[in-house]
Amino acid sequence: MAERLELALLGPPVVRRADQPLGRFRSAKTYALLYYLAVTRRPQPRTVLAGLLWADIDEYYARRNLIRTLSDLTQHVGDHLLIDRHSLAFARNQPYRLDVEMLEEAIKIQPTAQNAPALAQTADLYRSEFLEGFYVQDAPEFEQWVLNERTRLRITALHLLDTLAQFQADQGELPQALGYARRILQLEPWREETHRQLML
């Protein structure tokens, strides 16, 4: 059984393996490849990945760069990858923890007195913007994907916080409800309905 891989991507990215920081990769594009495979949750054609990270060079050289980057990634987390001649994927049959996935699953759950503490812990995983401070040079398609994911995941986090605020207010737990409302306003200060909720 492989050691657990932990990816905290809701904020400045942190990757740990067996509770230890992962050794450094050679380039930001190695990290980008790992993050993309983990978050997209499906096998990705090698041609797509080469274009995602090396759109500015000839396809032959982009594929060669992908092979070198994959070799670097495999040295560190090879047992967490599914690799064949045509595609790559993140191995979800190995032990891992991905905060993005946990947040996405949490918004499908209706809060109850029993599960509200666990949902609150999941909401706390959203430290700040997705991959905050992480940048890949000369990869505009990857950067566009990051921007789209930031928007999507901010909306997801806001939805979870709003659900928890409403649940706690309905339970008469006003200090907790106020705490969630204030966190919403930290993410979106212009959100009028949350300002109204705070006044109420």
Short mmCIF file of all heavy atoms in Angstrom, two decimals, residues 71-108:
data_model
loop_
_atom_site.label_atom_id
_atom_site.label_comp_id
_atom_site.label_asym_id
_atom_site.label_seq_id
_atom_site.Cartn_x
_atom_site.Cartn_y
_atom_site.Cartn_z
N SER A 71 8.69 12.07 -15.70
CA SER A 71 9.75 11.31 -15.04
C SER A 71 10.07 11.89 -13.66
O SER A 71 10.22 11.16 -12.68
CB SER A 71 11.00 11.31 -15.92
OG SER A 71 12.08 10.70 -15.25
N ASP A 72 10.14 13.22 -13.59
CA ASP A 72 10.38 13.90 -12.30
C ASP A 72 9.24 13.61 -11.33
O ASP A 72 9.46 13.28 -10.16
CB ASP A 72 10.52 15.40 -12.56
CG ASP A 72 10.88 16.19 -11.32
OD1 ASP A 72 11.45 15.60 -10.37
OD2 ASP A 72 10.61 17.41 -11.29
N LEU A 73 8.01 13.73 -11.81
CA LEU A 73 6.85 13.50 -10.96
C LEU A 73 6.79 12.04 -10.48
O LEU A 73 6.50 11.77 -9.31
CB LEU A 73 5.57 13.84 -11.74
CG LEU A 73 4.25 13.79 -10.99
CD1 LEU A 73 4.26 14.71 -9.78
CD2 LEU A 73 3.10 14.15 -11.92
N THR A 74 7.11 11.12 -11.37
CA THR A 74 7.05 9.69 -11.03
C THR A 74 8.04 9.33 -9.93
O THR A 74 7.75 8.47 -9.08
CB THR A 74 7.31 8.84 -12.29
OG1 THR A 74 6.34 9.19 -13.29
CG2 THR A 74 7.20 7.36 -12.00
N GLN A 75 9.20 9.98 -9.91
CA GLN A 75 10.19 9.70 -8.87
C GLN A 75 9.63 9.99 -7.47
O GLN A 75 10.03 9.35 -6.49
CB GLN A 75 11.45 10.54 -9.10
CG GLN A 75 12.29 10.06 -10.26
CD GLN A 75 13.51 10.95 -10.45
OE1 GLN A 75 13.98 11.60 -9.52
NE2 GLN A 75 14.02 11.00 -11.68
N HIS A 76 8.73 10.95 -7.37
CA HIS A 76 8.20 11.36 -6.06
C HIS A 76 6.86 10.72 -5.73
O HIS A 76 6.61 10.38 -4.57
CB HIS A 76 8.04 12.88 -6.01
CG HIS A 76 9.34 13.61 -6.05
ND1 HIS A 76 10.00 13.92 -7.22
CD2 HIS A 76 10.13 14.10 -5.06
CE1 HIS A 76 11.12 14.56 -6.95
NE2 HIS A 76 11.22 14.69 -5.64
N VAL A 77 5.98 10.60 -6.72
CA VAL A 77 4.62 10.12 -6.44
C VAL A 77 4.15 9.12 -7.50
O VAL A 77 2.95 9.04 -7.80
CB VAL A 77 3.61 11.30 -6.35
CG1 VAL A 77 3.95 12.20 -5.17
CG2 VAL A 77 3.55 12.09 -7.63
N GLY A 78 5.05 8.33 -8.03
CA GLY A 78 4.71 7.41 -9.11
C GLY A 78 3.58 6.46 -8.77
O GLY A 78 2.76 6.12 -9.64
N ASP A 79 3.50 6.02 -7.52
CA ASP A 79 2.44 5.08 -7.15
C ASP A 79 1.07 5.75 -7.05
O ASP A 79 0.05 5.08 -6.90
CB ASP A 79 2.77 4.36 -5.83
CG ASP A 79 3.28 5.30 -4.75
OD1 ASP A 79 3.29 6.53 -4.99
OD2 ASP A 79 3.69 4.81 -3.69
N HIS A 80 1.03 7.06 -7.17
CA HIS A 80 -0.25 7.79 -7.17
C HIS A 80 -0.65 8.22 -8.59
O HIS A 80 -1.54 9.07 -8.75
CB HIS A 80 -0.17 9.01 -6.26
CG HIS A 80 -0.27 8.66 -4.81
ND1 HIS A 80 0.82 8.22 -4.07
CD2 HIS A 80 -1.32 8.63 -3.96
CE1 HIS A 80 0.43 7.97 -2.83
NE2 HIS A 80 -0.85 8.21 -2.74
N LEU A 81 0.00 7.63 -9.59
CA LEU A 81 -0.32 7.97 -10.98
C LEU A 81 -0.71 6.71 -11.74
O LEU A 81 -0.20 5.62 -11.47
CB LEU A 81 0.89 8.60 -11.66
CG LEU A 81 1.45 9.89 -11.04
CD1 LEU A 81 2.74 10.28 -11.72
CD2 LEU A 81 0.43 11.01 -11.12
N LEU A 82 -1.61 6.88 -12.70
CA LEU A 82 -1.95 5.83 -13.65
C LEU A 82 -1.42 6.28 -15.00
O LEU A 82 -1.86 7.31 -15.53
CB LEU A 82 -3.46 5.61 -13.70
CG LEU A 82 -4.12 5.19 -12.38
CD1 LEU A 82 -5.64 5.17 -12.54
CD2 LEU A 82 -3.61 3.84 -11.93
N ILE A 83 -0.47 5.54 -15.53
CA ILE A 83 0.26 5.97 -16.72
C ILE A 83 0.12 4.93 -17.82
O ILE A 83 0.36 3.74 -17.59
CB ILE A 83 1.76 6.17 -16.39
CG1 ILE A 83 1.92 7.21 -15.27
CG2 ILE A 83 2.54 6.58 -17.63
CD1 ILE A 83 3.33 7.30 -14.71
N ASP A 84 -0.29 5.37 -19.01
CA ASP A 84 -0.18 4.50 -20.18
C ASP A 84 0.35 5.32 -21.35
O ASP A 84 0.69 6.50 -21.18
CB ASP A 84 -1.51 3.79 -20.50
CG ASP A 84 -2.62 4.75 -20.91
OD1 ASP A 84 -2.33 5.76 -21.58
OD2 ASP A 84 -3.79 4.48 -20.58
N ARG A 85 0.43 4.73 -22.50
CA ARG A 85 1.07 5.40 -23.65
C ARG A 85 0.33 6.65 -24.09
O ARG A 85 0.94 7.57 -24.64
CB ARG A 85 1.16 4.43 -24.83
CG ARG A 85 2.18 3.33 -24.64
CD ARG A 85 2.26 2.46 -25.88
NE ARG A 85 2.63 3.23 -27.05
CZ ARG A 85 2.51 2.81 -28.30
NH1 ARG A 85 2.00 1.61 -28.55
NH2 ARG A 85 2.89 3.56 -29.32
N HIS A 86 -0.98 6.68 -23.85
CA HIS A 86 -1.78 7.77 -24.40
C HIS A 86 -2.31 8.76 -23.35
O HIS A 86 -2.67 9.88 -23.70
CB HIS A 86 -2.97 7.20 -25.18
CG HIS A 86 -2.55 6.27 -26.28
ND1 HIS A 86 -1.90 6.70 -27.41
CD2 HIS A 86 -2.67 4.92 -26.39
CE1 HIS A 86 -1.64 5.66 -28.20
NE2 HIS A 86 -2.09 4.57 -27.61
N SER A 87 -2.37 8.34 -22.09
CA SER A 87 -2.99 9.22 -21.10
C SER A 87 -2.34 9.07 -19.72
O SER A 87 -1.62 8.09 -19.45
CB SER A 87 -4.49 8.93 -21.00
OG SER A 87 -4.71 7.65 -20.47
N LEU A 88 -2.65 10.04 -18.86
CA LEU A 88 -2.19 10.05 -17.46
C LEU A 88 -3.40 10.34 -16.59
O LEU A 88 -4.32 11.05 -16.99
CB LEU A 88 -1.14 11.13 -17.23
CG LEU A 88 0.07 11.19 -18.17
CD1 LEU A 88 0.92 12.41 -17.84
CD2 LEU A 88 0.88 9.92 -18.04
N ALA A 89 -3.37 9.80 -15.37
CA ALA A 89 -4.44 10.08 -14.42
C ALA A 89 -3.91 9.99 -13.01
O ALA A 89 -2.87 9.36 -12.76
CB ALA A 89 -5.59 9.08 -14.61
N PHE A 90 -4.61 10.63 -12.10
CA PHE A 90 -4.31 10.54 -10.67
C PHE A 90 -4.96 9.26 -10.15
O PHE A 90 -6.14 9.00 -10.42
CB PHE A 90 -4.87 11.76 -9.94
CG PHE A 90 -4.47 11.85 -8.50
CD1 PHE A 90 -3.20 12.26 -8.14
CD2 PHE A 90 -5.38 11.54 -7.50
CE1 PHE A 90 -2.83 12.36 -6.81
CE2 PHE A 90 -5.03 11.63 -6.16
CZ PHE A 90 -3.74 12.04 -5.82
N ALA A 91 -4.20 8.44 -9.41
CA ALA A 91 -4.70 7.14 -8.94
C ALA A 91 -5.54 7.32 -7.68
O ALA A 91 -5.00 7.50 -6.58
CB ALA A 91 -3.52 6.19 -8.68
N ARG A 92 -6.84 7.25 -7.83
CA ARG A 92 -7.74 7.43 -6.69
C ARG A 92 -7.91 6.16 -5.87
O ARG A 92 -8.59 6.17 -4.85
CB ARG A 92 -9.09 7.95 -7.18
CG ARG A 92 -8.95 9.34 -7.74
CD ARG A 92 -10.23 10.06 -8.00
NE ARG A 92 -10.12 11.45 -7.62
CZ ARG A 92 -9.31 12.33 -8.20
NH1 ARG A 92 -8.55 11.96 -9.19
NH2 ARG A 92 -9.24 13.57 -7.77
N ASN A 93 -7.28 5.08 -6.30
CA ASN A 93 -7.32 3.84 -5.52
C ASN A 93 -6.19 3.78 -4.49
O ASN A 93 -6.07 2.81 -3.76
CB ASN A 93 -7.27 2.62 -6.44
CG ASN A 93 -5.99 2.58 -7.28
OD1 ASN A 93 -5.35 3.61 -7.48
ND2 ASN A 93 -5.62 1.42 -7.75
N GLN A 94 -5.36 4.81 -4.45
CA GLN A 94 -4.28 4.90 -3.47
C GLN A 94 -4.70 5.89 -2.37
O GLN A 94 -5.54 6.76 -2.61
CB GLN A 94 -2.98 5.38 -4.13
CG GLN A 94 -2.46 4.47 -5.22
CD GLN A 94 -2.01 3.12 -4.70
OE1 GLN A 94 -1.95 2.88 -3.50
NE2 GLN A 94 -1.67 2.21 -5.60
N PRO A 95 -4.12 5.78 -1.17
CA PRO A 95 -4.53 6.70 -0.09
C PRO A 95 -4.10 8.15 -0.39
O PRO A 95 -2.95 8.41 -0.71
CB PRO A 95 -3.79 6.15 1.14
CG PRO A 95 -2.68 5.31 0.61
CD PRO A 95 -3.12 4.79 -0.72
N TYR A 96 -5.08 9.04 -0.31
CA TYR A 96 -4.79 10.45 -0.57
C TYR A 96 -5.81 11.31 0.15
O TYR A 96 -6.87 10.84 0.58
CB TYR A 96 -4.79 10.75 -2.07
CG TYR A 96 -6.16 10.78 -2.69
CD1 TYR A 96 -6.85 11.98 -2.85
CD2 TYR A 96 -6.79 9.61 -3.10
CE1 TYR A 96 -8.11 12.02 -3.41
CE2 TYR A 96 -8.05 9.63 -3.66
CZ TYR A 96 -8.71 10.83 -3.82
OH TYR A 96 -9.97 10.87 -4.35
N ARG A 97 -5.49 12.59 0.25
CA ARG A 97 -6.42 13.59 0.81
C ARG A 97 -6.28 14.84 -0.03
O ARG A 97 -5.19 15.41 -0.13
CB ARG A 97 -6.05 13.88 2.27
CG ARG A 97 -6.97 14.87 2.98
CD ARG A 97 -6.50 15.04 4.43
NE ARG A 97 -7.41 15.82 5.23
CZ ARG A 97 -7.32 17.14 5.41
NH1 ARG A 97 -6.34 17.83 4.82
NH2 ARG A 97 -8.18 17.77 6.18
N LEU A 98 -7.38 15.25 -0.63
CA LEU A 98 -7.39 16.41 -1.52
C LEU A 98 -8.47 17.37 -1.03
O LEU A 98 -9.66 17.05 -1.07
CB LEU A 98 -7.67 15.97 -2.97
CG LEU A 98 -7.85 17.06 -4.01
CD1 LEU A 98 -6.61 17.94 -4.14
CD2 LEU A 98 -8.23 16.45 -5.37
N ASP A 99 -8.06 18.55 -0.56
CA ASP A 99 -9.02 19.48 0.02
C ASP A 99 -10.09 19.93 -0.97
O ASP A 99 -11.24 20.13 -0.62
CB ASP A 99 -8.31 20.68 0.67
CG ASP A 99 -7.40 21.45 -0.28
OD1 ASP A 99 -7.23 21.03 -1.45
OD2 ASP A 99 -6.84 22.49 0.15
N VAL A 100 -9.72 20.07 -2.24
CA VAL A 100 -10.68 20.48 -3.27
C VAL A 100 -11.83 19.47 -3.33
O VAL A 100 -13.01 19.85 -3.35
CB VAL A 100 -9.98 20.59 -4.64
CG1 VAL A 100 -11.00 20.78 -5.76
CG2 VAL A 100 -8.98 21.74 -4.64
N GLU A 101 -11.50 18.21 -3.36
CA GLU A 101 -12.50 17.15 -3.43
C GLU A 101 -13.39 17.15 -2.19
O GLU A 101 -14.60 16.97 -2.28
CB GLU A 101 -11.79 15.81 -3.60
CG GLU A 101 -12.69 14.65 -3.95
CD GLU A 101 -11.87 13.42 -4.25
OE1 GLU A 101 -11.47 13.24 -5.41
OE2 GLU A 101 -11.62 12.64 -3.32
N MET A 102 -12.79 17.35 -1.02
CA MET A 102 -13.55 17.37 0.23
C MET A 102 -14.55 18.52 0.24
O MET A 102 -15.70 18.36 0.69
CB MET A 102 -12.60 17.45 1.42
CG MET A 102 -11.72 16.22 1.57
SD MET A 102 -10.38 16.45 2.77
CE MET A 102 -11.32 16.48 4.30
N LEU A 103 -14.14 19.69 -0.26
CA LEU A 103 -15.04 20.83 -0.33
C LEU A 103 -16.20 20.54 -1.29
O LEU A 103 -17.36 20.84 -0.99
CB LEU A 103 -14.26 22.07 -0.79
CG LEU A 103 -15.06 23.37 -0.93
CD1 LEU A 103 -15.54 23.85 0.44
CD2 LEU A 103 -14.22 24.45 -1.59
N GLU A 104 -15.88 19.95 -2.44
CA GLU A 104 -16.92 19.64 -3.42
C GLU A 104 -17.93 18.63 -2.88
O GLU A 104 -19.12 18.72 -3.19
CB GLU A 104 -16.27 19.11 -4.70
CG GLU A 104 -15.49 20.16 -5.46
CD GLU A 104 -14.64 19.58 -6.57
OE1 GLU A 104 -14.22 18.41 -6.47
OE2 GLU A 104 -14.39 20.31 -7.55
N GLU A 105 -17.46 17.69 -2.09
CA GLU A 105 -18.37 16.69 -1.51
C GLU A 105 -19.22 17.31 -0.40
O GLU A 105 -20.39 16.94 -0.22
CB GLU A 105 -17.58 15.49 -0.97
CG GLU A 105 -16.89 14.66 -2.04
CD GLU A 105 -17.85 14.09 -3.05
OE1 GLU A 105 -18.91 13.57 -2.65
OE2 GLU A 105 -17.56 14.18 -4.27
N ALA A 106 -18.66 18.25 0.35
CA ALA A 106 -19.36 18.82 1.50
C ALA A 106 -20.62 19.57 1.10
O ALA A 106 -21.61 19.56 1.85
CB ALA A 106 -18.42 19.73 2.29
N ILE A 107 -20.61 20.23 -0.06
CA ILE A 107 -21.79 21.03 -0.42
C ILE A 107 -22.97 20.15 -0.84
O ILE A 107 -24.08 20.65 -1.01
CB ILE A 107 -21.47 22.06 -1.52
CG1 ILE A 107 -21.04 21.38 -2.82
CG2 ILE A 107 -20.45 23.08 -1.04
CD1 ILE A 107 -21.05 22.32 -4.01
N LYS A 108 -22.75 18.85 -0.98
CA LYS A 108 -23.85 17.93 -1.31
C LYS A 108 -24.59 17.46 -0.06
O LYS A 108 -25.59 16.76 -0.16
CB LYS A 108 -23.31 16.71 -2.06
CG LYS A 108 -22.59 17.04 -3.36
CD LYS A 108 -21.96 15.79 -3.94
CE LYS A 108 -21.11 16.10 -5.16
NZ LYS A 108 -20.41 14.90 -5.68
#
